[in-house]
Amino acid sequence: TSLQESKLENLGHLGDSNDHDSLGLFQQRPSSGWGTPEQITDPEYSTTAFLKGLKQVDGWQDMALTDAAQTVQVSAYPDAYAQWEQQAADLVAQHWNS
């Protein structure tokens, strides 16, 4: 999800290039209740917030990854997450428990 949202960059306020008030790795918005700007730009906090949101989605374990991500993120580009699935799986395989 964060590969699509930020290319794994912890984005601060981008001025006119910003999507509303989206911040951080997951482009979460303080105005949507994700947390304060300071919290959202904390990678551990934003990841935990995303995972908490994911766990609230009924059946997320059986969904296509792009559908699960979209349900949490409510992106204007719901199919965009799919393009990152293999790269994300490779990163997890390479770094899990390392």
Side-chain angles (χ1 to χ4, degrees):
T1 303
S2 60
L3 282 166
Q4 172 59 32
E5 296 295 341
S6 69
K7 310 302 182 271
L8 298 180
E9 266 189 70
N10 194 11
L11 300 173
H13 192 275
L14 301 175
D16 290 340
S17 299
N18 216 15
D19 178 23
H20 307 285
D21 58 342
S22 298
L23 301 168
L25 294 170
F26 292 86
Q27 290 292 279
Q28 295 160 329
R29 297 177 60 194
S31 64
S32 294
W34 284 101
T36 67
E38 293 77 21
Q39 290 171 319
I40 291 169
T41 54
D42 176 321
E44 184 175 349
Y45 177 92
S46 63
T47 301
T48 300
F50 173 81
L51 293 173
K52 284 181 181 179
L54 180 64
K55 288 179 180 179
Q56 293 176 5
V57 175
D58 288 334
W60 67 269
Q61 302 96 323
D62 300 318
M63 291 178 153
L65 290 176
T66 193
D67 294 337
Q70 172 59 15
T71 302
V72 176
Q73 293 295 111
V74 192
S75 170
Y77 306 99
D79 299 321
Y81 301 108
Q83 66 184 318
W84 301 101
E85 189 170 342
Q86 187 59 57
Q87 186 175 352
D90 292 345
L91 285 169
V92 169
Q94 183 179 0
H95 296 287
W96 193 263
N97 292 325
S98 61

